[in-house]
Amino acid sequence: MSLVVLKFGGTSVGDAPSIRQVARITQEATSQWNQVVVVTSAMGKSIAARDNAKVTDALLIAARTAANGDSDTFHRIRRELSDKHQAAIDGAIANADERTRIQEEIEQLLSGFEILCASVRVLGEVTPRALDAISGLGERMAVRILAGALRSQGVPAEPVDATELIITNDHYQSANPLMEATREKTRARLLPLLEGGVVPVITGFIAATAAGVPTTLGRGGSDYSASIIGAALDADEVHNYTDVDGVLTADPRIVPEARTIHTLTGQEMSELAFFGAQVLHPMTIAPLLEHKIPLRVKNTFNPSHPGTLIVHETPGCERGIQNGVTIKAVTVIDRVSMVTLSGRGMKGVPGIAGRLFTAVARTNTSVLMISQASAEQSICFIIPQSASAKVALELKREFAPELSTSEIDHINTVDDAAIVTAVGMGIADTPGVSGKVCSAIGILGININAIAQGSSECGISLVVNGSDSKEAVRAVHGLAAS
Ligand code: ADP
Ligand code: ASP
Ligand code: MG
């Protein structure tokens, strides 16, 4: 019995022609695999009056403006969402009765959305829990339309809300799945459908706590949903369909000549995703690792292209070096802050680093990178820029005694920095890679503020000023294997 999970991103279901294309890809898969499961994001093209606001963005704008007392915006967004989904229904679903039924279901979901936003406006605040209930609505609308489009092409299909499948903790906006409970629920709900020859069309991004409260897996989380479901069903493969020909050697918006990478290890992919490659959610690989389920990243709009295959056996650093392939890709995280704690009192004093990172953890901030000078006189670490003010405040509080005696000279924060990361198995073991990377950047006169080797040993990260980040990415890309 062969089983494949197909995940389609927002652009892939962005309008009626794209939805019809997704239905064709799925139909084709049903002739190649015994069982096919579909996971989809919310419609990803901008909604009518708001350039750059895709459905999930628009839902979040509605919630936040409602919390500020604005009742016009969420009403307007409801109308825009209604029009956008209506156009998709009209263009992708053949049967008139089906069209009416699905439109009614969507209007019901949108009425619920309006009620939630009205409550947020009355309360004057929006909690992370309410944001999850509101922002997950885009996927719930999309599955209904895509299942209808599949039925229009003669493929039996049923929409399923992942709140029935994926159980998470209550870390709203970035919840963690509880895999055992998820496996049990997912199999109980989906196996009967699959055995009956039905394609379940499942919402990405959303989940629920054990008590049934809606949660989300974080922005871009539909990739993660697909691999959680793939692992729960012991899928043979997961195919992640997006709008580019697989994972590229760099973000094509920064490096237009970026090329498809044919094969990556799970470790390389995780490193790339963690350090900013938007193409996959950073957690996507984790559920697939244990079951060694291969992941293929493909292009909805160029489906004959093989894309990128991500495998879980480690080919080994030696192979990378043998082929001369060390740097495979380069990626960047913009808008980060570099925090440096320095002073003579830090040298040889045990526990400073422990206190430092405990204080940072109190602010609920994740540290992206750490670098410590060997003289132990300073520690520097990188955090998202949005957290820099609260982290600086917490550190000043924690180290107030040392600051008053000048054992710690200063806590310095530099905003608008960027982390540029080169990724490839073997980077850690190949002499001279960091030298090459640094000189490719240095020759352009770009200052390197800090450097660290990734924990998985297949990446090297450099901190540069935000204004230099694109040029630095292009310089490192010049070193990537062709
Ligand atoms: P989806 O809606 O399909 O999930 P995303 O927008 O989340 O798609 O991710 C795909 C986009 O990621 C691409 O259109 C591309 O602009 C961007 N991207 C950034 N880095 C890379 C990379 N290394 N390889 C491929 N795409 C990348
Ligand atoms: N729709 C969600 C988002 O925009 C999840 C996803 O697209 O993967 O973040
Ligand atoms: Mg995505």
Side-chain angles (χ1 to χ4, degrees), residues 242-290:
T242 182
D243 57 358
V244 287
D245 288 338
V247 182
L248 308 179
T249 46
D251 185 335
R253 293 164 297 188
I254 302 175
V255 183
E257 66 275 19
R259 308 170 298 272
T260 300
I261 305 168
H262 297 293
T263 317
L264 280 167
T265 65
Q267 225 178 345
E268 288 170 329
M269 187 64 239
S270 293
E271 190 87 349
L272 270 175
F274 179 80
F275 282 106
Q278 184 195 328
V279 64
L280 287 184
H281 183 281
M283 288 304 293
T284 309
I285 299 302
L288 304 176
L289 256 179
E290 191 188 336

Side-chain angles (χ1 to χ4, degrees), residues 10 13 39 47 64 95 152 189 216 274 276 290 313 352 445 470:
V13 292
V39 175
I47 69 167
R64 294 203 171 105
N95 179 292
S152 290
R189 176 75 172 90
T216 65
F274 179 80
E290 191 188 336
E313 69 276 15
I352 295 267
K470 288 189 171 57

Side-chain angles (χ1 to χ4, degrees), residues 7-10 40-44 54-57 60 135 138-139 204-206 218-225 281:
K7 180 263 169 176
F8 296 97
T40 183
S41 296
M43 292 180 74
K54 297 167 183 172
V55 169
T56 311
D57 300 318
L60 286 165
S135 63
E139 274 71 12
F205 186 46
I206 66 173
R219 294 305 306 270
S222 300
D223 302 316
Y224 192 16
S225 309
H281 183 281

Side-chain angles (χ1 to χ4, degrees), residues 2-349:
S2 61
L3 190 156
V4 68
V5 176
L6 309 179
K7 180 263 169 176
F8 296 97
T11 332
S12 302
V13 292
D15 54 19
S18 311
I19 293 171
R20 290 200 303 270
Q21 167 74 351
V22 163
R24 277 193 293 274
I25 291 172
T26 307
Q27 185 181 33
E28 174 107 3
T30 59
S31 63
Q32 291 162 359
W33 299 82
N34 298 118
Q35 298 180 328
V36 177
V37 173
V38 168
V39 175
T40 183
S41 296
M43 292 180 74
K45 287 207 178 126
S46 308
I47 69 167
R50 300 186 157 262
D51 274 345
N52 288 326
K54 297 167 183 172
V55 169
T56 311
D57 300 318
L59 293 165
L60 286 165
I61 290 168
R64 294 203 171 105
T65 50
N68 290 335
D70 169 358
S71 59
D72 295 338
T73 303
F74 75 82
H75 285 304
R76 194 186 66 240
I77 287 178
R78 183 219 157 118
R79 286 192 299 276
E80 290 170 355
L81 289 172
S82 178
D83 291 349
K84 182 178 177 73
H85 289 86
Q86 178 70 59
I89 291 170
D90 289 344
I93 296 168
N95 179 292
D97 290 343
E98 273 261 86
R99 281 205 296 272
T100 312
R101 190 180 53 74
I102 293 169
Q103 182 58 28
E104 276 168 14
E105 281 181 32
I106 282 173
E107 285 308 317
Q108 241 174 37
L109 288 170
L110 287 172
S111 298
F113 156 75
E114 231 169 0
I115 292 168
L116 276 171
C117 288
S119 322
V120 164
R121 196 187 75 83
V122 171
L123 289 170
E125 67 163 346
V126 60
T127 59
R129 175 175 164 158
L131 280 174
D132 276 359
I134 293 171
S135 63
L137 209 84
E139 274 71 12
R140 298 175 67 199
M141 295 191 280
V143 286
R144 284 156 175 83
I145 300 177
L146 182 53
L150 278 166
R151 288 194 296 269
S152 290
Q153 299 209 4
V155 178
E158 185 178 315
V160 179
D161 287 353
T163 44
E164 293 183 60
L165 312 176
I166 301 178
I167 306 299
T168 65
N169 62 12
D170 62 359
H171 293 171
Y172 297 107
Q173 295 201 274
S174 184
N176 297 314
L178 309 174
M179 288 307 277
E180 249 174 64
T182 297
R183 184 177 171 89
E184 207 176 296
K185 281 237 175 200
T186 301
R187 297 178 79 84
R189 176 75 172 90
L190 298 186
L191 291 180
L193 288 179
L194 292 167
E195 279 150 20
V198 174
V199 173
V201 182
I202 303 162
T203 52
F205 186 46
I206 66 173
T209 64
V213 181
T215 55
T216 65
L217 303 174
R219 294 305 306 270
S222 300
D223 302 316
Y224 192 16
S225 309
S227 56
I228 293 168
I229 289 165
L233 293 174
D234 298 327
D236 294 287
E237 287 184 24
V238 174
H239 294 181
N240 192 302
Y241 279 88
T242 182
D243 57 358
V244 287
D245 288 338
V247 182
L248 308 179
T249 46
D251 185 335
R253 293 164 297 188
I254 302 175
V255 183
E257 66 275 19
R259 308 170 298 272
T260 300
I261 305 168
H262 297 293
T263 317
L264 280 167
T265 65
Q267 225 178 345
E268 288 170 329
M269 187 64 239
S270 293
E271 190 87 349
L272 270 175
F274 179 80
F275 282 106
Q278 184 195 328
V279 64
L280 287 184
H281 183 281
M283 288 304 293
T284 309
I285 299 302
L288 304 176
L289 256 179
E290 191 188 336
H291 303 266
K292 294 203 181 329
I293 302 172
L295 172 68
R296 206 174 260 288
V297 180
K298 284 180 65 85
N299 189 347
T300 296
F301 307 102
N302 187 15
S304 59
H305 192 290
T308 301
L309 178 67
I310 295 149
V311 288
H312 300 290
E313 69 276 15
T314 311
C317 306
E318 307 75 24
R319 191 165 117 195
I321 297 163
Q322 211 178 328
N323 296 344
V325 179
T326 303
I327 296 176
K328 280 195 179 172
V330 53
T331 184
V332 61
I333 309 182
D334 283 308
R335 287 181 294 280
V336 298
S337 296
M338 183 167 105
V339 184
T340 311
L341 194 74
S342 56
R344 60 186 162 76
M346 290 174 61
K347 191 171 164 66
V349 179

